[in-house]
Amino acid sequence: MSDFPVQIGLFGFGCVGQGFYRIFQEQQSEVQAQIRKIVVKNPNKERPIATGKFYFQAQDILNDPTIRLVVEAIDDAEAAYHIAKTALQSGKHVVSANKKMVALYGNELRALAHSQQRTFLYEAAVAGSIPILQLLQHYYRYDRIEWLRGIINGSTNFILSKMHSEGVTYEAALQEAQALGFAESDPTLDVEGFDAVYKLSILLYHAFGIEASPEQLLRQGIHHLDPLTTGYCTRKKYRIKLLAQAYERSDGSLTAFVLPALLPVQDPLASVEQEENAIELSLRYAHRQLLRGKGAGSTPTGAAVMADVARVLKGYIATGKVNIKRYFYEEEMLPLWVSGNSSARRVLQHFPFHELHAQISDAFGFAFEGYARYDQVRDFLQKHPQTGIFVAYHPQLTRQRVKQASTLLSV
Ligand SMILES: NC(=O)c1ccc[n+]([C@@H]2O[C@H](COP(=O)([O-])OP(=O)(O)OC[C@H]3O[C@@H](n4cnc5c(N)ncnc54)[C@H](OP(=O)(O)O)[C@@H]3O)[C@@H](O)[C@H]2O)c1
């Protein structure tokens, strides 16, 4: 970039926008840039800073030829997409924090940035302050990722921690998360696993070169969880965590999903509590790596935005598609634990188990474990979103254990 200082246009002045603004002001002597305009939505809202920089029309930034870098930190994915697209088309660089926008439109926007020779970065969109995308793109580029798994949604992790440690209901834990600002007033995106699946689809691109749409991925959240189930798992020395996972099979194909998982307490991810995030990777050369840190919040996320802005200012242009081709294997057999109350009985009859282990306990109404096929579970859950049944990945389940169970249960 020439023409210093670079003029920045900032969209959004909420949690992330303000965190970024504060860091930018404190670090301004380190960068040759300045925030020229801030566009927000509501002209009547009181702002924490007095500045003549606030504007209310996207065009105020997008049509300003002096602005060469757009930072997008708004909470509306469709509006964010139009902002990012228009900005790139008019030759501006774009930094975004919006995972839904990147998950839905990332392929198109990356291609556009590439053709325009502009940079499009979005580190803050995945796992907040953990610099996972930079690491995948640069540090791990010459390694081979065998698998990754992560806790990448802070709200659900907070709720699960509360349910395990205090035995409270899902509703009570959710209310506390909302009161503390860890969950939105409409928590659907978080608790039903959408947020995690958006982030997973972004990770798949950077880790494995796979362009997967979020709907392609098997997804189940934690909203059907009850304290009986968390109590049972606590007694059995398991923790339930909402995990995003992807692993390579021996033939080079890949499986990826977001499911609650039963983790033994000694598992390194079992101790990741409250709103914290963590991502664990297994690499061919570097072996295991565990990254852990704040997955959300004003300055942790603002710091990730700031790091992207600094890269743009240094002249970084994204290097296009990750050069590894892998494909999804949709028939993978997954080890699952499934529970539900008696009202879920009829739905459970149709759950696509292929190998089924005996009933564990009738405390829940029903609880089974066994192997089920990825695509069939995904289609089942998409068709029956309100089942009231809780589906969890059960990594310790062995085929032998399933075989030993002599009875196939009829529910
Ligand atoms: N919060 C986190 O910890 C976190 C972490 C990682 C990623 N993110 C992502 O970062 C983005 C921002 O999240 P946030 O938590 O900062 O949201 P937020 O606190 O709700 O703030 C949203 C901001 O966007 C502005 N806005 C909304 N629609 C707009 C539009 N069409 N044009 C201009 N401004 C608009 C709002 O304006 P008003 O002020 O006028 O209402 C507000 O300033 C989201 O995509 C979120 O998923 C957030």
Side-chain angles (χ1 to χ4, degrees), residues 275-342:
E275 71 277 21
E276 213 177 12
N277 277 201
I279 297 177
E280 191 180 18
L281 299 143
S282 174
L283 302 124
R284 181 183 287 172
Y285 305 122
H287 302 287
R288 294 265 193 115
Q289 306 242 311
L290 179 64
L291 307 150
R292 191 169 168 164
K294 294 245 182 256
S298 189
T299 55
T301 313
V305 173
M306 182 68 200
D308 278 351
V309 164
R311 284 167 83 197
V312 174
L313 296 174
K314 283 190 185 126
Y316 176 84
I317 300 272
T319 44
K321 193 169 186 326
V322 181
N323 201 15
I324 345 160
K325 267 279 180 203
R326 306 203 196 154
Y327 62 95
F328 262 129
Y329 184 69
E330 300 206 343
E331 294 177 16
E332 177 73 343
M333 296 297 274
L334 300 175
L336 298 178
W337 188 82
V338 178
S339 73
N341 55 31
S342 34

Side-chain angles (χ1 to χ4, degrees), residues 85-280:
K85 186 174 173 178
T86 313
L88 289 168
Q89 281 169 336
S90 48
K92 302 182 196 304
H93 303 276
V94 173
V95 168
S96 172
N98 198 315
K99 51 248 166 174
K100 185 174 179 184
M101 191 268 282
V102 179
L104 297 180
Y105 302 108
N107 296 333
E108 179 191 339
L109 294 174
R110 281 187 292 260
L112 178 59
H114 193 62
S115 70
Q116 293 283 84
Q117 285 289 292
R118 291 295 176 270
T119 305
F120 171 47
L121 295 174
Y122 38 83
E123 184 65 70
V126 183
S129 66
I130 300 174
I132 183 66
L133 300 184
Q134 273 213 52
L135 290 173
L136 288 172
Q137 226 169 339
H138 298 288
Y139 189 88
Y140 298 134
R141 193 177 183 89
Y142 307 100
D143 209 320
R144 187 172 176 104
I145 294 150
E146 294 160 342
W147 54 257
L148 64 78
R149 54 181 201 143
I151 294 170
I152 53 178
N153 180 270
S155 318
T156 47
N157 206 47
F158 180 88
I159 293 168
L160 291 170
S161 293
K162 281 275 153 192
M163 290 182 74
H164 271 294
S165 62
E166 295 171 23
V168 296
T169 62
Y170 163 77
E171 288 76 16
L174 172 61
Q175 261 178 18
E176 188 172 347
Q178 287 170 326
L180 292 170
F182 296 136
E184 305 285 330
S185 48
D186 173 8
T188 315
L189 282 185
D190 289 327
V191 297
E192 295 191 15
F194 288 100
D195 177 83
V197 102
Y198 293 147
K199 293 168 179 168
L200 177 61
S201 80
I202 300 170
L203 284 172
L204 290 179
Y205 174 80
H206 291 281
F208 301 103
I210 282 188
E211 295 177 349
S213 73
E215 308 87 74
Q216 241 181 302
L217 303 172
L218 166 58
R219 167 190 58 81
Q220 174 75 338
I222 61 161
H223 50 304
H224 296 308
L225 186 57
D226 61 48
L228 273 179
T229 307
T230 31
Y232 170 84
C233 292
T234 307
R235 283 195 303 283
K236 295 278 178 188
K237 300 203 181 320
Y238 286 115
R239 290 285 176 277
I240 299 171
K241 295 289 178 190
L242 185 64
L243 285 196
Q245 304 194 55
Y247 56 85
E248 193 179 20
R249 302 172 68 254
S250 53
D251 64 0
S253 65
L254 192 95
T255 297
F257 49 88
V258 168
L259 285 173
L262 305 188
L263 298 183
V265 287
Q266 61 275 20
D267 187 296
L269 292 185
S271 61
V272 176
E273 297 288 15
Q274 309 292 349
E275 71 277 21
E276 213 177 12
N277 277 201
I279 297 177
E280 191 180 18

Side-chain angles (χ1 to χ4, degrees), residues 11-17 39-42 45 47 73-76 79 97-99 124 295-297 301:
F11 281 90
F13 205 68
C15 179
V16 177
V39 167
V40 283
K41 195 173 181 181
N42 183 352
K45 208 186 232 181
R47 304 289 164 187
I74 71 171
D75 56 346
D76 174 338
N98 198 315
K99 51 248 166 174
T301 313

